[in-house]
Amino acid sequence: MTDKNIGFIGLGVMGQSMAGHILAAGYNVRVYNRTKQKADALVEKGAVWCDSVADLAAASDVIITIVGYPADVEEVFMGPSGILENAPSGALAIDMTTSDPALAQNLWQHGQQINIGVLDAPVSGGDLGSRNASLSIMVGGEPEDFERALPIFKIMGANIVHQGKAGCGQHTKMANQIAIAAGMIAVCESISYAKHAGLDPETVLESIGKGAAASWSLNNLGPKMIQGDDAPGFFIRHFVKDMGIALSAAKNMGMKTPGLDMAYTLYKQIEEQGDGLKGTQALFQLFK
Amino acid sequence: MTDKNIGFIGLGVMGQSMAGHILAAGYNVRVYNRTKQKADALVEKGAVWCDSVADLAAASDVIITIVGYPADVEEVFMGPSGILENAPSGALAIDMTTSDPALAQNLWQHGQQINIGVLDAPVSGGDLGSRNASLSIMVGGEPEDFERALPIFKIMGANIVHQGKAGCGQHTKMANQIAIAAGMIAVCESISYAKHAGLDPETVLESIGKGAAASWSLNNLGPKMIQGDDAPGFFIRHFVKDMGIALSAAKNMGMKTPGLDMAYTLYKQIEEQGDGLKGTQALFQLFK
């Protein structure tokens, strides 16, 4: 089957780049966003604005969502004017929001009953990855839906992996965020130690940034911590959201996650100080 | 000045490789080790066995040590038959053990009084790095001593950085170990989560091993955790030692290190179970 009509819901920083790539690849792209203004640049380039999710869904072969919270995903998919109610039979809906694995399974199940394919396909790589089309895309759902979506994923991402059945994309993203969580504490402590010991932390990174202590966080966020640059690559608010989902999923599976617990507590503290829109490297303020 | 006579004390797995490289580079190498037998292979290749630290020190321009614990370093340097008592005026002593930064400052100070240069120059890169001469060497001490040692460091390492005055090499190594410590918890939790969620953890690593969650630990020790391979690249016992030094130094500087505290507690628990000679990836057993 050839999908020509793509609906794209959620035009945040990442969504705008991702929808832009699909448009540039020659698809018919319909867009919807809560704040209409964020669609302006895309509409100027040829995207078609839709006044509702329902209108967009009805006219699309493939509907992609990347919105805020699991509650938003649920509303956009399951609400009375949502995707599953309005998309044509045979459509494919792909949620690229980082969201709840259990919800992803639910959406897939509902889709099954009405012949609408549903994939969960959260991403990592952030703003830069979405601009460069170098995202890592972690996909859960039916193999045939994955194959169908692959040409579109390839327009947005560089590392696209089918992780298993519905929910597995979200679970993989949770594993990603968990690997980052306590790791951020380690990075903060390491740089804080270097400063306390009177070392030049940039010179320390030259020694420790390539060996067994190396991490993306150390090498990319460490320098920002040292320079006091809190500008967001990834919002603390979003990381707190993701860790909350991970914690709840881990608890449901009977897992102990002391490192994740600690990271969540510390980040929550910063968010409650009003710094939720700073980048995740601002955790360093607790370790000065 | 040209250093021709090198004394090498401490012929563990790493010391043997390091002394071997120096020998192969054409230096006269004298060796000493508590267990004489570990010198056999080097002696066969032309190294000269010395029956005591004192004999070795007296005959060397440069003395290199890589022994076990700070107490061993202290004895080898400060004991009545130790390096500082027996090395000729103008000699240079380099401790490459991961040891206490305060002790390193002490040794340097004692050396100053008797015209013996002292550098602290711990390494990272492990067994493999010592075999390949690709160690990261983190150096504290006087700039002129660093310059003098550089030709010898270059025989053993690939990333050689002068981090500052005496003790700064050890402090940098502590920053390295701290960056690893809580990071190991993150890696264990991430892989455990993947397993609990029914994912294939190797496939998960394909998605998360290259982006913001990437770390040396995740990509090198993660697969070993998955395969249940506890063979030591780096002994838990040694990591516990290093974290103990780091904790004590951090406490002395008035720092809070909740992530390091947690890692130390968990690793100590494994060591006390009798698993101190397993690799650090065996932390995973607490997260199964």
Side-chain angles (χ1 to χ4, degrees), chain B residues 211-223:
Chain B
S215 68
W216 187 95
S217 298
L218 182 69
N219 286 315
N220 290 276
L221 301 181

Side-chain angles (χ1 to χ4, degrees), chain A residues 101 124 136-138 159 161-163 165 168-172 174-183 185-187 189-190 192-194 196-200 203-208 210-218 245-246 249-250 253-262 266 287, chain B residues 101 124 136-138 159 161-163 165 168-172 174-183 185-187 189-190 192-194 196-200 203-208 210-218 245-246 249-250 253-262 266 287:
Chain A
S124 92
S136 172
I137 308 180
M138 307 157 227
N159 185 27
V161 183
H162 185 213
Q163 290 288 347
K165 58 188 177 13
C168 287
Q170 295 298 350
H171 274 312
T172 301
M174 292 301 119
N176 188 77
Q177 303 306 68
I178 293 169
I180 294 171
I185 298 173
V187 170
E189 290 179 350
S190 176
S192 177
Y193 180 96
H196 276 82
L199 302 168
D200 172 18
T203 308
V204 169
L205 287 183
E206 286 175 33
S207 277
I208 75 174
K210 290 164 208 153
S215 68
W216 187 95
S217 297
L218 183 68
I245 297 169
M253 301 189 296
M255 271 186 70
K256 275 185 212 160
T257 53
L260 175 61
D261 294 352
M262 183 183 286
L266 295 174
F287 290 88
Chain B
S124 91
S136 172
I137 308 181
M138 308 157 224
N159 184 27
V161 184
H162 186 214
Q163 290 288 349
K165 59 186 176 13
C168 288
Q170 295 298 350
H171 274 313
T172 301
M174 292 302 118
N176 188 77
Q177 302 307 69
I178 294 169
I180 293 170
I185 298 173
V187 169
E189 290 179 351
S190 176
S192 178
Y193 180 95
H196 277 83
L199 302 168
D200 172 17
T203 308
V204 169
L205 287 183
E206 285 174 34
S207 277
I208 75 174
K210 291 165 209 152
S215 68
W216 187 95
S217 298
L218 182 69
I245 297 170
M253 302 190 296
M255 272 186 70
K256 275 184 212 161
T257 53
L260 176 61
D261 295 352
M262 183 183 285
L266 295 174
F287 291 88

Side-chain angles (χ1 to χ4, degrees), chain A:
Chain A
M1 108 164 270
T2 311
D3 299 308
K4 269 287 155 201
N5 296 298
I6 313 292
F8 204 105
I9 298 169
L11 302 173
V13 174
M14 296 187 62
Q16 287 190 41
S17 292
M18 292 156 74
H21 292 309
I22 298 172
L23 189 64
Y27 288 86
N28 305 324
V29 177
R30 287 174 174 77
V31 293
Y32 174 81
N33 192 61
R34 245 178 343 207
T35 310
K36 186 178 174 182
Q37 185 191 346
K38 289 189 180 170
D40 287 353
L42 287 162
V43 168
E44 214 162 283
K45 289 180 197 146
V48 175
W49 171 258
C50 293
D51 277 320
S52 71
V53 169
D55 286 356
L56 178 144
S60 300
D61 304 313
V62 174
I63 302 116
I64 297 173
T65 55
I66 181 162
V67 295
Y69 289 78
D72 303 317
V73 174
E74 193 165 10
E75 194 198 329
V76 164
F77 270 78
M78 307 273 274
S81 59
I83 294 166
L84 296 181
E85 190 69 29
N86 294 282
S89 177
L92 174 63
I94 308 169
D95 181 35
M96 303 187 80
T97 316
T98 294
S99 174
D100 183 354
L103 174 60
Q105 287 158 355
N106 258 345
L107 300 180
W108 169 81
Q109 204 159 31
H110 276 80
Q112 287 293 95
Q113 294 161 6
I114 54 175
N115 193 35
I116 294 178
V118 176
L119 294 172
D120 51 301
V123 301
S124 92
D127 182 18
L128 192 66
S130 58
R131 264 187 285 143
N132 298 345
S134 65
L135 292 169
S136 172
I137 308 180
M138 307 157 227
V139 190
E142 300 303 312
E144 59 270 26
D145 291 333
F146 174 76
E147 291 303 327
R148 180 177 169 185
L150 201 50
I152 302 168
F153 286 148
K154 283 185 175 163
I155 296 168
M156 298 182 280
N159 185 27
I160 301 148
V161 183
H162 185 213
Q163 290 288 347
K165 58 188 177 13
C168 287
Q170 295 298 350
H171 274 312
T172 301
K173 180 67 189 278
M174 292 301 119
N176 188 77
Q177 303 306 68
I178 293 169
I180 294 171
M184 284 299 295
I185 298 173
V187 170
C188 288
E189 290 179 350
S190 176
I191 289 172
S192 177
Y193 180 96
K195 285 191 153 191
H196 276 82
L199 302 168
D200 172 18
E202 309 249 18
T203 308
V204 169
L205 287 183
E206 286 175 33
S207 277
I208 75 174
K210 290 164 208 153
S215 68
W216 187 95
S217 297
L218 183 68
N219 286 315
N220 290 276
L221 302 181
K224 293 187 181 185
M225 292 177 189
I226 294 167
Q227 291 147 22
D229 172 5
D230 285 344
F234 184 53
F235 288 132
I236 283 175
R237 180 194 282 178
H238 290 166
F239 195 33
V240 168
K241 175 200 87 167
D242 295 356
M243 287 190 287
I245 297 169
L247 273 174
S248 149
K251 228 169 260 173
N252 287 342
M253 301 189 296
M255 271 186 70
K256 275 185 212 160
T257 53
L260 175 61
D261 294 352
M262 183 183 286
Y264 183 76
T265 303
L266 295 174
Y267 270 109
K268 193 88 187 161
Q269 183 181 335
I270 298 182
E271 192 190 24
E272 281 164 6
Q273 284 169 16
D275 289 333
L277 294 178
K278 290 185 174 172
T280 50
Q281 71 273 19
L283 179 67
F284 188 62
Q285 67 185 248
L286 299 183
F287 290 88
K288 272 178 183 166

Side-chain angles (χ1 to χ4, degrees), chain B residues 219-259:
Chain B
N219 286 315
N220 290 276
L221 301 181
K224 293 186 180 187
M225 292 177 189
I226 295 166
Q227 290 147 23
D229 172 4
D230 285 344
F234 185 53
F235 287 132
I236 283 175
R237 179 193 284 178
H238 290 166
F239 195 34
V240 168
K241 177 200 84 166
D242 294 356
M243 286 191 288
I245 297 170
L247 273 173
S248 148
K251 229 169 259 173
N252 287 341
M253 302 190 296
M255 272 186 70
K256 275 184 212 161
T257 53

